[in-house]
Amino acid sequence: MVKASGWKALKVKPKELCISTTLNSGQTFRWRKTGEAEWIPSSIVHTRRREEGKEGKGDVEELLTDYFQLKVDLDECYRRWNSIDKNFANKSEHFLGIRILRQDPVENLISFICTSNNNIKRISQMVEKLCAKYGRYKGTINEVPFYAFPELELLTGKEVEVELRNLGFGYRAKFVRETAKSLVELHPDPKDWLLTLREAPYSEAHTALLKLPGVGAKVADCVCLMSLDKHEAVPVDTHVWQIAKRDYGFLEGKAVKSLTPKIYAEVGDHFRNLFGDYSGWAHSVLFTADLKEFGERMKKRATTKDDQVEEKKVKVTSGTTLRRSRRST
C-alpha cells in the first residue's frame, strides 16, 4: 500500500488551472480515480478536499509546475484569444483553465498511437492494459494496483503484437511494437533522442516523428504539442476539421470530402494564423468545448465546485500525490 508522508501547498488560481477538465480533454489517459486517488505519469496522485492541519513535508512543486506548465500565463493567453476570435470568447468562459500538459514523450507517443479511430474511454482502457501487462508495479490504492509505463525494450519482442491484439489493441498492436522496435534499434537512448527534439524547430521535430511506424501527422503533432514544447502544433483530426468548417467557414463552398495531407496542413495553418503564439493551446480549448462529455457546459454556467480550485495540495508518497482544495463562492 502507498502511504503519504506529507503535504505541500501549490497555489493556482481557478482560471489558470482546472484539473478535472484538463485531465479529461484527451491529452492523457492514465489518470484513474479510485475513490479519491488518481494517476499521473510515473507517479501516484491523490486529490481530495483540504483537511486543516495537513501542511507537510516533501516538495514536488517543481514536478507539477513543469507537468502543468504553470509558468505559462494562461489568463493573458485567454484575454488575447478572446479579443481575436468571437467564437473562442463565447466558449472560453465555460472552459477556463485548460492547459497543455508537458508529458513524458515515450508515454505520450505510444499512447497516441492507440488513438487511431478510437475514443477517450477505450484509449484509457488500452493504455492501462499495456501498463498492467508490461509495466513495473508501483503500488496499490483502495485495492487498485498501479503500474509504471513500460520500458520500450519490453515492447519489442515478437510476441508483443499477438499479446496486444489479445488485449483488444487490434491493428494498433503492430504499430506499437514496430515503433518501440524502431526507436530502440535506431537510438541508444530513445527517450533522450525524443527529448532532444524539444530543441529542434517544430517542422524538424514533426518530420522526425513521421518517420516512425504508425505515426501520422496528427500523432506527430500531439507529441510535438504535449511533450516537445511546440506550442504552435495543432493536431487535426476529423473532429477539428469539422470545427474549422462549422465555426470558421473553412473551405466553404468547396467539395472536399476527406482530410488529405494538404487539407490537414491548411487547417493547422488556419488556426496558427488566427491565434498566433500558443495556437495549439487555443485549439485545445475549442476541441474540449466540442467534446460530448462537456456538452452541457454550453447550456449552463460552468463554474461548478470542481472549477473553483484555488489551492492544490501536493501529497508525497513513494510516488507523487496531489491534493487540491475546492471552495465554492
Side-chain angles (χ1 to χ4, degrees), residues 41-87:
S42 302
S43 307
I44 294 174
V45 177
H46 226 118
T47 67
R48 68 169 79 168
R49 290 181 182 274
R50 178 182 181 183
E51 296 175 13
E52 296 300 328
K54 287 290 186 179
E55 305 301 330
K57 306 173 183 177
D59 186 3
V60 293
E61 184 173 356
E62 183 177 351
L63 167 68
L64 293 167
T65 296
D66 180 75
Y67 182 73
F68 289 109
Q69 304 203 68
L70 296 180
K71 292 182 179 180
V72 175
D73 189 342
L74 191 61
D75 187 33
E76 172 57 31
C77 288
Y78 269 68
R79 284 200 295 268
R80 180 166 60 84
W81 297 329
N82 286 338
S83 69
I84 291 171
D85 180 31
K86 182 178 180 181
N87 178 60

Side-chain angles (χ1 to χ4, degrees), residues 196-245:
T196 63
L197 296 180
R198 286 181 173 175
E199 306 303 321
Y202 162 58
S203 59
E204 182 180 322
H206 191 264
T207 299
L209 292 171
L210 287 176
K211 295 178 182 179
L212 298 172
V215 176
K218 180 210 164 186
V219 172
D221 270 326
C222 287
V223 178
C224 281
L225 178 63
M226 302 168 196
S227 293
L228 303 182
D229 302 339
K230 313 306 178 196
H231 307 299
E232 71 273 36
V234 177
V236 180
D237 56 8
T238 54
H239 186 76
V240 174
W241 184 26
Q242 291 303 316
I243 293 174
K245 291 193 295 183

Side-chain angles (χ1 to χ4, degrees), residues 120-133:
I120 294 176
K121 182 178 180 181
R122 187 160 178 258
I123 298 164
S124 299
Q125 293 171 344
M126 290 168 64
V127 174
E128 199 57 47
K129 289 178 181 178
L130 180 74
C131 295
K133 177 70 175 179

Side-chain angles (χ1 to χ4, degrees), residues 63 116 118 151 153 158 299:
L63 167 68
S116 177
N118 220 338
E151 298 293 330
E153 289 78 5
K158 294 181 179 180
K299 300 178 183 178

